[in-house]
Amino acid sequence: MAVMEGEAGEKEEKLDMEGKPDGGDEKKEVAAVVESSRSETRVSRLQTQHPVAPVQVAPHGAATPPATVAAANQPTPTPQVELASLNSREYTNRVSLLLFILHLLVAAAAVCFFGFKSIQGLVDSDSGKARNGRRVLKFWLPPIEGASVLSIGLAFSWQKAVRSWPSVMVPFILWACFFATMAAGILLLCFSLPATDGLGVAFMTFSIGAGLYACWVTRRIAFTGKVFAQALRPVTKFQDVNGPAYLMMGVGFLWISAWCFAVIGALNFYYPTLTILALVLSLAWTAEVMRNVANLTVSRVIALYYLRGMQSSTQFSFQRATTINLGSACLGSLFVPTIEALRIMARGLNLLEGEDEFLFSCAHCCLRVMESIFRYGNSWAFVHIAAYGRGFVEASQSTWGLFEKQRMEAVVDSDITSAVCFLTGVTSGALSLIFAASWTFSSHKHYTATVSLLAFFVGYLMTRIAMALPHGCVACYYVCYAENPGSRLFDSTIPDRLNQIGSGREGFVPTPRFPRPNFRT
């Protein structure tokens, strides 16, 4: 009723002001006033019931301001996440790079000098040193060169087999190492020489340890084979990614051939034992740098595919690995083998500590050392070195920080891909030893021990260089998943493994990096 009275009052006021217009205009004016009054009343009621921010109410038929509507419908901009640079031009670990270059110059000078000495001794036909040099050249050098050629063939075969049948090759490698080292130890014992007997006992002891390790990691074999299969899938998209590994193997073969001549010359030089030991250590560091150069090349190609979806150039990645990132490869080549040895020691002490207080103390001391080492130096660092151009220590911290952020420490600690690659090299070394030792014993048995050691060493190094491809792919798979677990390029392999470990359904013995919380008193 109040609304009706208000409407009647407005009509009367309007009629008094206008006088008495004709009938048509009076009806139109009354309709306009009634419609405006109803609109205002409805808006006031809505504002009372739902208090919201004030808006503009335009009268019927008026145009809406386009700028106001566009501003109201414009979404709030989300902040952009800045991605890390992939093209760092700064050389990493320059001190290590300078030390390696200096060492390489000294090693090259020593190889040239001792090689000249060996040739000079061969030319002098009247001296006893010349006769000894010719005997060494005839009976010692050919088995070593033959073992080098055999190791290259074995390296190609192992890598091809792992890429083609990863699930089958993991248990095969574990048990092949056991049988190959056992056969090498038995063969050396059968020679019945004092030097070969000691080597035979050492190889048989290692064989027993390898067999126990294969039994211990039985529950991890299926997961490791699956990780190899998933990690090696991107390799099919890059046909030339294996080229750097093949190139490093060729360079390694040429360097080993020249190195063997240097050893012959060092036999007749002052302090031959120390001189040959220095040459062996130099060869080990050089070969490890070659392996890590191949590792860095593969890691950059695969990591950029996972992180950015890029088809990176293998040639450009190899160029960075041999220039900008070479210092990190040199530093990692010194520390990573030591880290792996300490990791194996920690596992052994963790299994053997029992109730013995001495072993208990040693185990926890070693685990505390492992805690520091894994934070500041680990083999996973090569992924971030290759992708972001970081130094070795910085890359080690960043990769391990990603594992801790995603709670992947248990999966990473239980990973046996590094052990599989290591045992592949040992298997090739044992097979090369069997070949070279049999040849040498039939021709000149007094050289059997030294030839056996060098043949094993050469076979191991060549295969390790070739296995840099699968090892680098697996490292990229873990690190890139930790960095971007939501990527569509990853399946449920790692999450399923984490769930198994967390639920206790997977009965495996972890390798703790930290001391256990409950200490005995």
Side-chain angles (χ1 to χ4, degrees), residues 118-139:
S118 63
I119 296 175
Q120 187 181 30
L122 295 176
V123 174
D124 187 6
S125 58
D126 297 332
S127 63
K129 292 183 179 180
R131 290 191 294 270
N132 185 36
R134 283 194 295 270
R135 187 166 56 250
V136 171
L137 187 63
K138 180 179 180 180
F139 299 108

Side-chain angles (χ1 to χ4, degrees), residues 205-398:
T205 304
F206 182 88
S207 176
I208 295 172
L212 293 176
Y213 180 77
C215 296
W216 182 46
V217 299
T218 300
R219 294 180 179 270
R220 309 182 194 179
I221 290 177
F223 173 73
T224 304
K226 191 174 181 180
V227 168
F228 267 121
Q230 295 294 331
L232 289 170
R233 282 185 177 180
V235 176
T236 58
K237 302 180 182 296
F238 307 93
Q239 299 297 327
D240 59 343
V241 74
N242 221 359
Y246 295 157
L247 178 61
M248 290 294 101
M249 290 174 62
V251 173
F253 174 76
L254 296 177
W255 180 251
I256 288 173
S257 300
W259 181 85
C260 290
F261 275 99
V263 171
I264 295 175
L267 290 174
N268 298 321
F269 197 67
Y270 302 105
Y271 307 105
T273 303
L274 295 178
T275 304
I276 294 175
L277 179 61
L279 290 173
V280 169
L281 294 177
S282 172
L283 178 62
W285 191 17
T286 305
E288 190 69 13
V289 171
M290 291 180 182
R291 181 178 76 89
N292 285 326
V293 165
N295 190 356
L296 286 173
T297 305
V298 173
S299 297
R300 180 171 177 84
V301 172
I302 303 301
L304 294 191
Y305 172 75
Y306 280 135
L307 298 176
R308 301 289 193 271
M310 298 169 56
Q311 296 280 342
S312 180
S313 171
T314 303
Q315 183 178 359
F316 179 71
S317 301
F318 178 71
Q319 180 182 355
R320 286 181 60 90
T322 53
T323 54
I324 296 176
N325 299 328
L326 184 59
S328 298
C330 299
L331 183 61
S333 299
L334 287 176
F335 280 97
V336 170
T338 306
I339 292 169
E340 295 297 332
L342 288 176
R343 189 181 187 188
I344 295 172
M345 185 185 301
R347 285 180 171 176
L349 290 176
N350 182 58
L351 291 175
L352 298 175
E353 65 175 84
E355 296 297 328
D356 187 270
E357 291 298 328
F358 175 74
L359 289 178
F360 172 79
S361 302
C362 291
H364 285 283
C365 178
C366 188
L367 291 178
R368 289 188 180 94
V369 173
M370 291 285 290
E371 176 186 354
S372 301
I373 289 177
F374 267 90
R375 289 185 181 277
Y376 298 100
N378 55 71
S379 58
W380 312 104
F382 292 110
V383 179
H384 277 189
I385 293 171
Y388 301 120
R390 296 171 179 169
F392 178 72
V393 176
E394 181 185 358
S396 300
Q397 291 176 315
S398 61

Side-chain angles (χ1 to χ4, degrees), residues 6-19 33:
E7 292 175 356
E10 289 178 358
K11 286 191 288 184
E12 291 175 359
E13 182 181 358
K14 192 68 178 177
L15 290 174
D16 291 340
M17 292 173 63
E18 298 291 339
V33 173

Side-chain angles (χ1 to χ4, degrees), residues 153-207:
L154 290 173
F156 281 118
S157 302
W158 285 121
Q159 190 199 95
K160 179 63 177 178
V162 170
R163 292 173 58 184
S164 302
W165 311 289
S167 300
V168 177
M169 290 306 297
V170 172
F172 180 81
I173 289 171
L174 292 174
W175 290 107
C177 181
F178 167 74
F179 288 110
T181 51
M182 180 64 72
I186 293 174
L187 178 65
L188 291 172
L189 287 176
C190 291
F191 292 152
S192 299
L193 297 174
T196 57
D197 288 345
L199 290 177
V201 171
F203 273 94
M204 292 186 68
T205 304
F206 182 88
S207 176

Side-chain angles (χ1 to χ4, degrees), residues 105-116 262 279:
L105 293 175
V106 173
V111 167
C112 293
F113 174 76
F114 289 122
F116 172 75
L279 290 173

Side-chain angles (χ1 to χ4, degrees), residues 144 147-149 151 256 259-260 283 429 432 453-463:
I144 299 297
S148 301
V149 175
S151 63
I256 288 173
W259 181 85
C260 290
L283 178 62
S432 300
L453 275 177
L454 288 177
F456 172 81
F457 189 52
V458 170
Y460 169 80
L461 293 178
M462 286 295 182
T463 303

